[in-house]
Amino acid sequence: MNQKLPKLISFAISHYCEKARWALDWYGIEYTEEFWPIGLHMRMTRELGVPKSCVPILMLDGEILQGSREILDWAYVNRTDSEKSLEDSKHGEEIREIEARADDVVGVEVRRLLYAQTLTQHPDIVLELLYGNLDSKVRSVGHNLWPKIQPAMIQTLDAAPDAVADSRAKLDVELDWLDEKLAEGKHHLVGDRLTRADLAAASLLAPFAQLSRERMYRRVEVPPEIEEEFERLKDRPSMKWVADTYRDFR
Ligand SMILES: N[C@@H](CCC(=O)N[C@@H](CS)C(=O)NCC(=O)O)C(=O)O
């Protein structure tokens, strides 16, 4: 058999890519991963012919999937161990609703708050996070284009420093919602086992759950503004739950 392994295309620091990666790992799927440079990815996705410019993308033999939800669907169907499921037909609708809110609101505000705190004040740290793990040629192109990429990111993500308060307030609404769902020490957002609702919420909150110290932001110093967010959020049941969920299931 000469079938190529699925290839995950990602940005190293993207929490949506982490969601897809976790699902592939959870389902025991063998794959390779290719990190793309933010900014240059616009042309690369256009050349691939996918409808949007975003990652994660999963390249399969003869098919290209774009978006974490699509990748989770595919990974479930193609899982190597039929006992391992993140789906639950009894609670299917509720799981999908939570996942959609995690994707469309929680993940968006986590990213916006992080970038609003760093893109303007700590551009060198962001630059290192975005390009630090890429090969030297790509890295130098990224560095050269950074004066254009940085303002474009601020604009596209609505992440100027004055977005901090708004984003924080929106994220707090989401965290109140999740704290309530996890009241009385519940281990899972739906039912009594891990589902894609947990995986979505935990991966998309992971950048604020201190695990980022070990996982994503290892290479750089954490700026004081982000330390303050960590401090502010650390006693939230939802944040503790993210850390527990990573410890137990990732
Ligand atoms: N809902 C999408 C969101 C993906 C997303 O926002 N990806 C970001 C990285 S964090 C991206 O590729 N941004 C660049 C762009 O959209 O051009 C998913 O779950 O896959």
Side-chain angles (χ1 to χ4, degrees), residues 54 80 112 120 153 168 230:
C54 61
T80 54
R112 183 167 168 240
T120 304
M153 285 179 72
R168 191 185 282 142
F230 283 169

Side-chain angles (χ1 to χ4, degrees), residues 11 14-16 19 41-42 53-56 67-69 103-104 111:
F11 298 156
S14 162
H15 50 352
Y16 291 101
K19 179 185 162 200
H41 77 283
M42 302 290 284
S53 58
C54 61
V55 296
S68 64
R69 279 181 243 180
D103 286 354
D104 299 342
R111 179 177 59 198

Side-chain angles (χ1 to χ4, degrees), residues 40-206:
L40 283 73
H41 77 283
M42 302 290 284
R43 209 184 76 199
M44 295 163 89
T45 44
R46 241 187 344 263
E47 283 170 0
L48 211 56
V50 281
K52 297 187 207 155
S53 58
C54 61
V55 296
I57 290 170
L58 192 67
M59 310 267 290
L60 301 166
D61 240 7
E63 198 186 358
I64 301 176
L65 303 175
Q66 186 171 39
S68 64
R69 279 181 243 180
E70 288 71 10
I71 295 171
L72 263 67
D73 289 344
W74 179 88
Y76 169 67
V77 173
N78 291 280
R79 66 198 187 280
T80 54
D81 177 353
S82 60
E83 298 287 303
K84 277 203 145 185
S85 173
L86 296 166
E87 308 287 336
D88 182 346
S89 54
K90 215 168 83 197
H91 302 290
E93 208 173 312
E94 192 186 354
I95 290 171
R96 291 285 171 160
E97 274 170 20
I98 294 174
E99 182 181 15
R101 184 163 169 179
D103 286 354
D104 299 342
V105 190
V106 177
V108 170
E109 294 307 330
V110 163
R111 179 177 59 198
R112 183 167 168 240
L113 182 52
L114 282 169
Y115 279 135
Q117 291 280 34
T118 53
L119 264 171
T120 304
Q121 277 117 302
H122 302 283
D124 293 347
I125 293 182
V126 181
L127 187 63
E128 174 57 23
L129 281 168
L130 297 185
Y131 303 110
N133 72 329
L134 300 168
D135 81 55
S136 60
K137 212 167 117 202
V138 183
R139 200 162 60 218
S140 74
V141 179
H143 277 242
N144 290 338
L145 292 177
W146 183 238
K148 286 198 173 127
I149 294 171
Q150 184 219 24
M153 285 179 72
I154 293 175
Q155 196 189 11
T156 319
L157 301 170
D158 185 17
D162 63 7
V164 166
D166 179 61
S167 187
R168 191 185 282 142
K170 286 183 173 142
L171 186 58
D172 279 347
V173 171
E174 298 310 298
L175 295 175
D176 287 345
W177 166 64
L178 289 168
D179 284 352
E180 202 173 306
K181 285 203 161 296
L182 293 163
E184 288 151 35
K186 270 186 70 186
H187 296 301
H188 299 292
L189 291 169
V190 181
D192 54 11
R193 64 173 174 81
L194 190 79
T195 69
R196 57 193 285 166
D198 298 312
L199 200 127
S203 56
L204 294 170
L205 284 172

